[in-house]
Each structure stands twice: as structure tokens, then as C-alpha cells.
């Protein structure tokens, strides 16, 4: 397996219960996993733990045969090679689209930056918007910029937190299809959290449902459409 999470539990300091309770997951390379659950169930916390933004009190995480977290090891977030797209996209308003996309490529040469930028722009279809600022783009275009920025450093895993919640309903279907095409083309391993059943049906290969910090179900979407 490309990624393994074993016996992982996490609790916020002000919580009286485990926000994540004995989480176990295995993910194949290139798989797109949808984590489905209501607000407050622990799904966004799971992404934060995987990214290294929160520290569980027990458990381990292994990515591509490398331990990134256990009782003795903790790899800092910036060294995990994980890309993350937040619900509000978190684009830099004072930077043009090209600067936003190449922001995480500071250690790359100028030539490599240019090549990566060209590839990302073609991938997300924003060639005519390079010199614009985020406020000049639609919500769907802003999301494409966020996707390009997250994918530019070639992350080992891409994490998405409620990726379609800020989009108008008439845009969602097209953006879901575009996102799936991009992830499949790059064979990107992806975990996204959502409360929308249509998101997991449209984008994911497999869905995991979480309730009160516990994994309740884990199944292939194509076999379980009727259940959802």
C-alpha cells in the first residue's frame, strides 16, 4: 500500500472525547478517497493530522514506505511532501496567478519553475489568465489556481478540505469532472473530505464514512452507489 494509517487517535486539548478514535486506513497509489461525514465528525481533523498540522497521541502514518509519524518520529509538515487545498483556496490576493502557482517552488531553478508553470497552466486551462489576480477570477477559476499551486511541487498526496463547498451549484458538476480528470492524468493520490454525497459519487474511487471520530464504512463507490 502507498499510504497506511494504523491505530491513530487524536484529541484536542479542550475536548472531553477523542476527535479521532483508532483510525485505520490503507490507500493505493493514485487512489482518490472521499471521506464523508457531517460537520464536526472528525474528517477535517483527519486531514490536518495527515498533513502534520496536528499531532495525535497514538498511532502511526506511513507514506510510500516512509514513516512520517509514530511515537518516536514526527516529520514536519513542510517536509512531508503533501499538498493541501483549503476550503477558501487560501490564494495570495497580492500575487498574480503565475506567482501563486510557483510560490512553493522556491528551491527549483528558474528554468524548472517555468516548465512546471507551463505544464500546470495547460493542465488547468488558465493560459489566458496568468497576469490576473485572484479577485479577477471566478470561483471555479480560483479553485483551478489552488489545484495547480498544490500540484506544482508534485506532492506525494493531495488533501482537499470541502473542495466544492464555495462553488455555485451549476458549476459543481463540471468542476468535479475537471478535478477527476486532472488527478487521474497525474495519477495523484488524493484524500478529500466532504459532507456532500454527490462529491464522493462524482470524484472518488472509494468512500470512507466517519461519525464521531470513528470510521463506520469503507467501500468502493462503483459498488455502493445505491447505498449512498
Amino acid at each position: 500500500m502507498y499510504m497506511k494509517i494504523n491505530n491513530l487517535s487524536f484529541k484536542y486539548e479542550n475536548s472531553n472525547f477523542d476527535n479521532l478514535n483508532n483510525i485505520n486506513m490503507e490507500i493505493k497509489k493514485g487512489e482518490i478517497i472521499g471521506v464523508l461525514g457531517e460537520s464536526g465528525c472528525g474528517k477535517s481533523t483527519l486531514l490536518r493530522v495527515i498533513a502534520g498540522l496536528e499531532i495525535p497521541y497514538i498511532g502511526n502514518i506511513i507514506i510510500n514506505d516512509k514513516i512520517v509519524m509514530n511515537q518516536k518520529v514526527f516529520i514536519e509538515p513542510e517536509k512531508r511532501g503533501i499538498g493541501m487545498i483549503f476550503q477558501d483556496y487560501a490564494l495570495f490576493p497580492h500575487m498574480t496567478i503565475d506567482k501563486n502557482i510557483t510560490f512553493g517552488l522556491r528551491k527549483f531553478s528558474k528554468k524548472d519553475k517555468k516548465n512546471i508553470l507551463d505544464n500546470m497552466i495547460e493542465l488547468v486551462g488558465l493560459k489566458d489568465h496568468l497576469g490576473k489576480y485572484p479577485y479577477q477570477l471566478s470561483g471555479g477559476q480560483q479553485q483551478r489556481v489552488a489545484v495547480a499551486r498544490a500540484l506544482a511541487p508534485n506532492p506525494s498526496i493531495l488533501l482537499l478540505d470541502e473542495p466544492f463547498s464555495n462553488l455555485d451549484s451549476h458549476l459543481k458538476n463540471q468542476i468535479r469532472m475537471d478535478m477527476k480528470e486532472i488527478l487521474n492524468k497525474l495519477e495523484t493520490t488524493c484524500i478529500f473530505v466532504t459532507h456532500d454525497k454527490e462529491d464522493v459519487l462524482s470524484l472518488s474511487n472509494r468512500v470512507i464514512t466517519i461519525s464521531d471520530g470513528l470510521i463506520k464504512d469503507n467501500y468502493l463507490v462503483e459498488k455502493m452507489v445505491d447505498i449512498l
Side-chain angles (χ1 to χ4, degrees):
M1 287 293 169
Y2 186 71
M3 176 178 178
K4 293 182 181 180
I5 299 176
N6 298 315
N7 307 319
L8 188 146
S9 293
F10 171 83
K11 182 170 71 173
Y12 288 107
E13 287 186 7
N14 60 349
S15 178
N16 295 321
F17 56 88
D18 283 353
N19 302 92
L20 295 174
N21 190 347
N22 195 32
I23 299 295
N24 291 275
M25 295 172 58
E26 291 189 349
I27 300 174
K28 298 177 182 177
K29 173 67 175 173
E31 198 170 17
I32 303 173
I33 304 295
V35 180
L36 182 66
E38 300 298 328
S39 296
C41 71
K43 59 186 187 297
S44 292
T45 300
L46 176 62
L47 292 192
R48 292 180 61 82
V49 169
I50 293 171
L53 302 177
E54 304 289 352
I55 303 175
Y57 65 82
I58 194 170
N60 62 72
I61 301 174
I62 301 171
I63 301 176
N64 197 19
D65 295 325
K66 179 181 179 181
I67 296 173
V68 298
M69 195 286 302
N70 64 16
Q71 296 299 97
K72 297 181 179 180
V73 175
F74 182 81
I75 303 299
E76 296 297 325
E78 64 273 15
K79 297 179 181 179
R80 294 192 180 191
I82 291 176
M84 190 164 184
I85 301 177
F86 296 96
Q87 190 171 345
D88 62 356
Y89 312 143
L91 299 177
F92 301 112
H94 62 289
M95 292 184 180
T96 55
I97 301 313
D98 54 322
K99 297 297 184 183
N100 263 280
I101 293 173
T102 58
F103 179 80
L105 304 179
R106 285 166 289 184
K107 294 183 179 181
F108 289 72
S109 68
K110 186 175 181 180
K111 180 179 178 180
D112 287 342
K113 281 185 182 180
K114 179 65 166 56
N115 290 336
I116 293 171
L117 176 63
D118 290 345
N119 289 336
M120 288 296 108
I121 287 298
E122 181 178 355
L123 188 69
V124 299
L126 290 174
K127 185 177 180 180
D128 297 330
H129 301 280
L130 279 182
K132 294 182 179 180
Y133 291 88
Y135 74 89
Q136 296 176 298
L137 303 180
S138 67
Q141 290 170 333
Q142 289 181 29
Q143 188 189 58
R144 289 168 183 261
V145 176
V147 170
R149 185 179 65 184
L151 291 175
N154 191 27
S156 57
I157 293 176
L158 180 64
L159 306 178
L160 308 176
D161 190 357
E162 297 281 3
F164 311 111
S165 62
N166 289 333
L167 296 175
D168 294 335
S169 57
H170 70 280
L171 286 175
K172 284 187 178 181
N173 286 337
Q174 184 61 50
I175 296 298
R176 287 181 187 124
M177 288 189 292
D178 292 345
M179 179 78 78
K180 187 168 186 176
E181 182 180 357
I182 289 170
L183 296 176
N184 286 336
K185 184 175 181 179
L186 296 179
E187 298 183 345
T188 302
T189 306
C190 175
I191 305 171
F192 74 96
V193 303
T194 182
H195 64 275
D196 190 334
K197 296 176 182 178
E198 290 300 320
D199 287 349
V200 295
L201 290 174
S202 301
L203 184 59
S204 60
N205 309 121
R206 185 156 53 93
V207 60
I208 291 170
T209 60
I210 290 185
S211 179
D212 296 327
L214 292 163
I215 290 181
K216 297 295 186 180
D217 294 292
N218 184 344
Y219 41 75
L220 293 174
V221 169
E222 61 187 18
K223 295 183 179 180
M224 304 301 289
V225 171
D226 292 337
I227 291 179
L228 289 177

